[in-house]
Amino acid sequence: METKLEKKFGLFTAICMVVGIVIGSGVFFKAQTVLQKTEGNMPLGILAWIIGGTIMIICILAFAAMAQRYEKVNGIVDYAEATVGKKYGYYIGWFLTTTYYPTLTSVLSWLSARYTLVFITSCWPDFPLIIPASEGGCIIGPECLALMLFYLVCAYVVNALSPKLAGKLQTSTTVIKLIPLFLMAVVGVIVGLVSPAHMLQSNFATGAVSGNVGAPLLAAVCATSFAYEGWIIATSINAELKDAKRNLPKALIIGGIIIIVTYISYYVGVAGGATVDVLMNDGATTAFTNIFGGVLGNILNLFIAISCIGTMNGLMLGCCRGMYSLAARNEGPKPELFRQIDKVSNMPTNSAIIGLLFCAVWGTYFYLSNLAGTWSGAVAFEGTALESVPFLFDSSELPIITIYAMYLPIFIQWMRKATDETVMRRFVIPALAIIGSLFMVYACIVGHGLANLWYLIVFAVIMFIGYLFRNKDLK
């Protein structure tokens, strides 16, 4: 077997990966959350989307500067290693491999299954489910679990056996998922302006936050922060991207701009299809149905499923390469095993297998804890300020608290070491990125409360296991 990956991806695929990973199911529902947080104030909601997008773009600009200097195996790990040191690069790589990639991938496989069943049961109400759809069968039923596992294995097979096909799938699903978003953005605005009720103007004129706007705006930005998450995973194809030092920064910046424009345009468009009160209570599906009718409106569920599948595919791409990025540095467990590249598929097959295993572990946790509520009745520290359900946390969001915290030393060391860069690239952009990263951490702490404690206990155990596998001979 070989030990190096071929340069197989171009700029367009890289852009589609950035856009495809970030734009998943969240875009269809965060519009509702933002409206709820801002109490129906449309201009304040748009400001929240702009602030959240600005934080993402600033972090992208900071890493884009690093991408022009460092190119090895896995972007974010390369940057951590070059700026902070090999030891720190290893721990970031270990966290991404064991926690960040698989937690998000497993959740997206469930979302893909869920909205596939929602579409099927909407088209065929009599479709037999062991647990009826009205009782949550599309969310926790055995059919949903089986379809979740099917999608997870399919994503693994496509990425492990045919990375070029995985790249084409990423491109296709990205284009497909953008269709309903831009369609709603354009048609929604037109309908909202020409309708007898002047829906769009009315929605922008109504809804005023009572008292100070700071708290509602902060809560809304917290909601957008999760919708903007995931773009850093695109740097995992660093070693497989043609002319990576030129194309990766372009892909990050262009992709980031597309994401922000898409989110804001969609947010404005849905306001043309329903009143603010309806959107806050029922979500964007009502706006699609009002504008395009029941049949086409229901197709939204199909597009959501496709959107989730595309995001899951991009996340699985990172999962398959996670252990390889460590083994290529002679780090982690059995590096001689996990750095092997299959001669035919040019993929780190052994690394992909362990990536699927991590997805299975985290997928099982997510299903039992967040969906089935297996131990939701248990209480720890009862009667104290720490009273909470033990080891119950949202594995789709809380890894953000660590990935953004882990960015901080990278930005700080970049400011110290990049002596040949301009003031803007060396100091201004990283300083703003530090502020943005701290905000993301703050958003997680405020939004999830004591769940952070239980997550951090699990995180500490995982990182200790990583410490045991670290190559102590490497400085």
Side-chain angles (χ1 to χ4, degrees):
M1 287 192 173
E2 302 173 356
T3 58
K4 288 189 177 181
L5 297 169
E6 293 178 357
K7 301 284 188 179
K8 61 179 77 73
F9 298 125
L11 175 61
F12 185 68
T13 299
I15 293 173
C16 287
M17 178 166 290
V18 174
V19 175
I21 290 175
V22 175
I23 299 179
S25 61
V27 63
F28 295 99
F29 302 104
K30 289 301 180 181
Q32 178 183 7
T33 304
V34 170
L35 276 174
Q36 291 171 343
K37 299 296 184 182
T38 59
E39 301 175 19
N41 189 314
M42 288 294 298
L44 195 63
I46 292 176
L47 179 60
W49 284 110
I50 292 173
I51 293 174
T54 301
I55 292 174
M56 179 189 69
I57 283 292
I58 290 171
C59 289
I60 283 176
L61 290 173
F63 281 116
M66 299 178 202
Q68 291 177 326
R69 295 168 66 104
Y70 311 123
E71 176 190 352
K72 191 174 180 181
V73 178
N74 182 317
I76 180 62
V77 180
D78 297 341
Y79 313 149
E81 187 178 79
T83 55
V84 184
K86 290 182 179 293
K87 185 186 297 186
Y88 191 71
Y90 165 75
Y91 283 118
I92 280 196
W94 179 259
F95 169 72
L96 292 172
T97 301
T98 60
T99 307
Y100 187 79
Y101 295 151
T103 53
L104 298 182
T105 305
S106 58
V107 171
L108 263 297
S109 67
W110 166 74
L111 283 169
S112 302
R114 172 185 175 180
Y115 289 108
T116 299
L117 290 177
V118 169
F119 171 71
I120 292 173
T121 54
S122 297
C123 293
W124 298 279
D126 295 328
F127 185 83
L129 294 177
I130 294 178
I131 300 176
S134 59
E135 299 177 15
C138 296
I139 299 175
I140 60 172
E143 296 88 354
C144 181
L145 181 58
L147 197 55
M148 168 186 173
L149 297 175
F150 173 74
Y151 280 145
L152 196 62
V153 173
C154 285
Y156 160 77
V157 170
V158 170
N159 279 275
L161 300 183
S162 181
K164 289 186 178 179
L165 178 60
K168 292 180 180 179
L169 177 63
Q170 191 66 30
T171 301
S172 301
T173 54
T174 299
V175 173
I176 291 172
K177 74 173 65 177
L178 289 177
I179 292 175
L181 295 173
F182 282 117
L183 196 61
M184 172 54 79
V186 175
V187 179
V189 169
I190 295 174
V191 171
L193 290 174
V194 303
S195 64
H198 300 290
M199 188 74 70
L200 196 62
Q201 299 97 313
S202 176
N203 283 337
F204 270 86
T206 59
V209 177
S210 57
N212 188 0
V213 300
L217 177 62
L218 179 63
V221 175
C222 289
T224 68
S225 68
F226 297 115
Y228 282 119
E229 177 61 15
W231 54 269
I232 194 65
I233 298 172
T235 65
S236 65
I237 64 167
N238 193 33
E240 300 162 85
L241 185 61
K242 299 172 184 176
D243 196 3
K245 288 185 177 180
R246 182 174 65 90
N247 285 332
L248 187 55
K250 284 185 178 180
L252 290 172
I253 295 171
I254 295 173
I257 293 172
I258 291 174
I259 292 164
I260 295 174
V261 172
T262 301
Y263 279 10
I264 296 176
S265 300
Y266 174 78
Y267 182 77
V268 174
V270 295
T275 65
V276 168
D277 290 335
V278 170
L279 291 173
M280 286 193 292
N281 293 325
D282 302 330
T285 303
T286 304
F288 269 85
T289 303
N290 289 345
I291 292 176
F292 300 106
V295 176
L296 292 178
N298 182 52
I299 292 178
L300 171 65
N301 293 317
L302 177 61
F303 279 108
I304 294 175
I306 294 173
S307 176
C308 293
I309 291 171
T311 303
M312 177 189 61
N313 176 69
L315 291 166
M316 181 60 77
L317 189 149
C319 286
C320 290
R321 290 156 175 77
M323 196 61 77
Y324 171 80
S325 69
L326 299 177
R329 296 169 164 83
N330 202 33
E331 288 275 22
K334 296 288 184 180
E336 68 280 359
L337 176 68
F338 292 115
R339 65 168 168 252
Q340 293 179 357
I341 303 296
D342 185 81
K343 291 182 179 179
V344 178
S345 64
N346 190 241
M347 272 295 296
T349 308
N350 295 331
S351 174
I353 292 172
I354 200 70
L356 179 62
L357 175 62
F358 289 139
C359 288
V361 171
W362 280 109
T364 301
Y365 168 81
F366 177 77
Y367 184 85
L368 294 178
S369 62
N370 287 253
L371 300 179
T374 304
W375 63 87
S376 59
V379 179
F381 308 113
E382 189 171 2
T384 70
L386 297 178
E387 182 176 328
S388 57
V389 179
F391 298 103
L392 179 62
F393 53 84
D394 188 344
S395 58
S396 69
E397 295 185 353
L398 279 178
I400 297 173
I401 196 173
T402 38
I403 193 64
Y404 275 96
M406 285 179 161
Y407 290 162
L408 297 175
I410 300 175
F411 295 143
I412 293 171
Q413 287 298 94
W414 168 264
M415 295 168 70
R416 190 175 72 85
K417 292 184 175 180
T419 55
D420 57 339
E421 291 286 354
T422 63
V423 173
M424 177 64 71
R425 284 163 61 99
R426 182 184 177 187
F427 293 111
V428 177
I429 292 176
L432 292 174
I434 289 172
I435 295 172
S437 297
L438 288 172
F439 176 85
M440 294 297 192
V441 174
Y442 173 72
C444 279
I445 294 173
V446 172
H448 292 275
L450 288 174
N452 289 287
L453 172 64
W454 300 109
Y455 164 73
L456 289 174
I457 292 174
V458 175
F459 168 75
V461 171
I462 291 173
M463 298 309 288
F464 178 72
I465 295 173
Y467 165 78
L468 297 178
F469 282 117
R470 191 174 70 83
N471 188 340
K472 308 303 189 298
D473 295 330
L474 296 178
K475 302 295 184 181

